[in-house]
Amino acid sequence: QWNLVCDNDWKGPLCTSLFFVGVLLGSFVSGQLSDKFGRKNVLFATLAMQTGFSFIQVFSTSWEMFSVFFVLVGMGQISNYVAAFVLGTEILGKSIRVLFCTLGVCIFYAFGYMLLPLFAYFIRDWRMLLLALTLPGLLCIPLWWIIPESPRWLISQGRFQEAEEIIQKAAKINGITAPDVILDPSELQDLNSQKQQTYTILDLMKTRNILTITIMSVILWMIISVGYFGLSLDTPNLHGDVYVNCFLSAVIEVPAYIISWLLLRNLPRRYSMAAALFLGGCVLLFIQLVPSHIRALSIFLVMLGKFGITSAFSMVYVYTAELYPTVVRNMGVGASSMASRLGSILSPYFVYLGAYDRFLPYILMGSMTVLSGILTLFLPESYGMPLPDTIEQMRLVKGLEYRPASSSTRDSKEEEENPEIFKSTAF
């Protein structure tokens, strides 16, 4: 369209990196905005941002204009993704929470991924393709009247009456008789005093324990992101039709998400993630041993590696959200996601190394993935534990057992004593 060939061919990969720069910026601010203004408000504001700027992109008159709006689209995309993820995590009960975070979010992500090559195959004009991918965002408008705000966030802000109304409505929809008093007044007073404290990104480094978890999460997310996006962007370099390979790369994510859901539901988080990372990393290291004439086997191993890394990517969202307390959970996930975007920015350059040695990207990504699997084994376990609400309730990194604070909040108790109230997937 704008002579992106010969001396200007560097603009194509740079445009992809600029999108991920926007995602990086969005990851940095989305957590703080969501913790300050609420999950629901930020979710729909950034949905409007993504849809609006994508629509403007359709009418771009230059590469520079397209790239600037691509940065803004990236900011909106990751912000609504993280806000929606944390909102679902906080309003759902234990069993439904895992279902939402894996199958609920990720399966539909894979369906959208599968539709992309299908749309691109039949719509060859990029403007019309972009328009077709943008318009579905308008379908989210009616959800404003369906999706509630997070009761956990409302409680952390001292808005107890609003939180109790949402929980009462959930109980009514589920046909459950809720207690007359869901939030104990004496404990609300303690929470109200906690609410006066303002939390910032610096609180992720407040204690040695939360700092260690933050550093480990940042490294883990970055490596997984390099592997995931590196394999996704490397699809055109595989043998065969580019549309078919892209479709296969999307299809393999469906069983990966199903497996990750089963693992999260029945097994400890650490060992499940480590196993997925070891599988993905080792398979990528084996690709260089496959004879060049057996192309189908190489593609199979790449897809198997994508399977392992995708499973880990799905599980790391759940795992990270469960490690951080309510007061900084969105910031914790946002900071980890920000590190993930650094990995996504670097991933096109890992793919570019294939021009010098076809197997070098797989060797690097495989080695890093195996190392991240080892790192996962040092994180604290969260399987079967109630979500922490304060920084003091966080689990110790080098301990395997949960060490509760001297007093626990009522909402964590209420979920355990009346799990039926929290079973609905929508209030």
Side-chain angles (χ1 to χ4, degrees):
Q1 183 71 41
W2 297 301
N3 295 320
L4 304 184
V5 294
C6 300
D7 292 340
N8 290 325
D9 62 352
W10 55 272
K11 292 184 178 180
L14 178 60
C15 193
T16 303
S17 292
L18 287 175
F19 171 80
F20 286 121
V21 168
V23 173
L24 170 64
L25 297 174
S27 300
F28 181 75
V29 300
S30 63
Q32 299 180 67
L33 291 175
S34 186
D35 284 333
K36 184 175 183 179
F37 298 106
R39 308 344 187 182
K40 180 179 178 179
N41 292 332
V42 172
L43 168 61
F44 284 92
T46 52
L47 274 171
M49 178 180 178
Q50 178 185 355
T51 303
F53 286 123
S54 293
F55 183 76
I56 297 176
Q57 270 189 302
V58 175
F59 304 98
S60 297
T61 57
S62 65
W63 174 82
E64 289 78 9
M65 177 180 176
F66 182 90
S67 299
V68 168
F69 285 112
F70 215 18
V71 173
L72 297 174
V73 170
M75 291 179 65
Q77 185 271 334
I78 191 60
S79 297
N80 65 59
Y81 188 90
V82 172
F85 178 85
V86 174
L87 177 59
T89 300
E90 293 185 343
I91 66 177
L92 301 175
K94 292 180 182 178
S95 60
I96 301 299
R97 182 189 307 139
V98 174
L99 180 65
F100 166 80
C101 295
T102 50
L103 300 188
V105 173
C106 299
I107 286 291
F108 283 91
Y109 174 90
F111 286 162
Y113 192 174
M114 284 187 279
L115 288 174
L116 175 61
L118 182 64
F119 275 49
Y121 183 82
F122 290 104
I123 307 176
R124 298 304 175 96
D125 179 74
W126 70 266
R127 295 183 191 271
M128 291 299 100
L129 175 61
L130 183 56
L131 182 62
L133 299 176
T134 300
L135 292 179
L138 299 177
L139 299 176
C140 296
I141 294 177
L143 297 179
W144 173 266
W145 292 275
I146 299 176
I147 298 176
E149 182 55 89
S150 165
R152 288 180 180 272
W153 179 80
L154 291 171
I155 291 172
S156 71
Q157 299 297 304
R159 296 160 62 176
F160 308 115
Q161 183 61 36
E162 296 176 60
E164 184 156 335
E165 289 176 358
I166 292 175
I167 297 174
Q168 291 282 5
K169 184 178 180 181
K172 182 179 179 181
I173 293 177
N174 287 322
I176 302 297
T177 302
D180 294 332
V181 179
I182 295 179
L183 304 174
D184 187 270
S186 60
E187 294 183 354
L188 292 184
Q189 188 173 0
D190 295 337
L191 286 171
N192 194 33
S193 62
Q194 294 177 11
K195 176 254 177 183
Q196 303 302 324
Q197 182 177 355
T198 301
Y199 292 91
T200 66
I201 193 96
L202 296 178
D203 286 290
L204 298 180
M205 300 173 282
K206 185 175 182 180
T207 65
R208 179 181 178 183
N209 190 43
I210 194 171
L211 174 62
T212 304
I213 288 179
T214 299
I215 293 175
M216 295 174 72
S217 296
V218 163
I219 296 174
L220 186 61
W221 280 63
M222 185 182 299
I223 293 177
I224 294 177
S225 182
V226 167
Y228 176 83
F229 288 102
L231 291 178
S232 298
L233 295 174
D234 193 53
T235 301
N237 297 325
L238 298 176
H239 300 289
D241 185 87
V242 62
Y243 296 99
V244 174
N245 289 337
C246 184
F247 181 76
L248 291 175
S249 181
V251 169
I252 196 64
E253 296 196 5
V254 175
Y257 293 137
I258 294 175
I259 290 295
S260 65
W261 170 62
L262 293 174
L263 291 175
L264 288 172
R265 187 177 179 182
N266 301 294
L267 296 174
R269 312 296 196 228
R270 290 185 306 167
Y271 301 123
S272 299
M273 271 199 59
L277 290 169
F278 285 141
L279 171 64
C282 292
V283 167
L284 293 180
L285 291 174
F286 288 150
I287 292 177
Q288 59 184 315
L289 304 179
V290 178
S292 58
H293 63 278
I294 311 180
R295 298 177 177 179
L297 181 57
S298 296
I299 295 177
F300 172 77
L301 291 179
V302 170
M303 295 305 168
L304 188 58
K306 178 79 180 294
F307 171 87
I309 294 177
T310 300
S311 297
F313 216 159
S314 174
M315 289 186 281
V316 76
Y317 272 92
V318 180
Y319 197 8
T320 305
E322 291 179 344
L323 291 178
Y324 282 103
T326 301
V327 292
V328 292
R329 181 171 295 119
N330 217 111
M331 280 189 287
V333 175
S336 300
S337 182
M338 180 179 66
S340 169
R341 299 318 134 192
L342 286 175
S344 62
I345 292 173
L346 294 174
S347 60
Y349 300 98
F350 276 77
V351 176
Y352 181 73
L353 292 175
Y356 299 95
D357 186 324
R358 183 71 190 92
F359 300 111
L360 185 57
Y362 299 118
I363 295 174
L364 292 177
M365 289 187 290
S367 301
M368 294 172 62
T369 302
V370 171
L371 290 176
S372 66
I374 297 175
L375 177 66
T376 303
L377 296 175
F378 291 92
L379 285 168
E381 185 53 66
S382 63
Y383 177 65
M385 305 291 184
L387 289 177
D389 287 304
T390 64
I391 294 178
E392 291 73 21
Q393 289 179 329
M394 290 189 65
R395 301 160 189 85
L396 297 177
V397 171
K398 56 184 179 181
L400 300 179
E401 297 181 359
Y402 175 55
R403 291 182 56 179
S406 56
S407 63
S408 58
T409 55
R410 176 69 179 179
D411 57 340
S412 293
K413 291 181 180 178
E414 196 63 43
E415 182 174 343
E416 292 179 340
E417 296 171 2
N418 300 282
E420 298 84 358
I421 298 178
F422 296 87
K423 283 185 177 179
S424 175
T425 57
F427 293 156

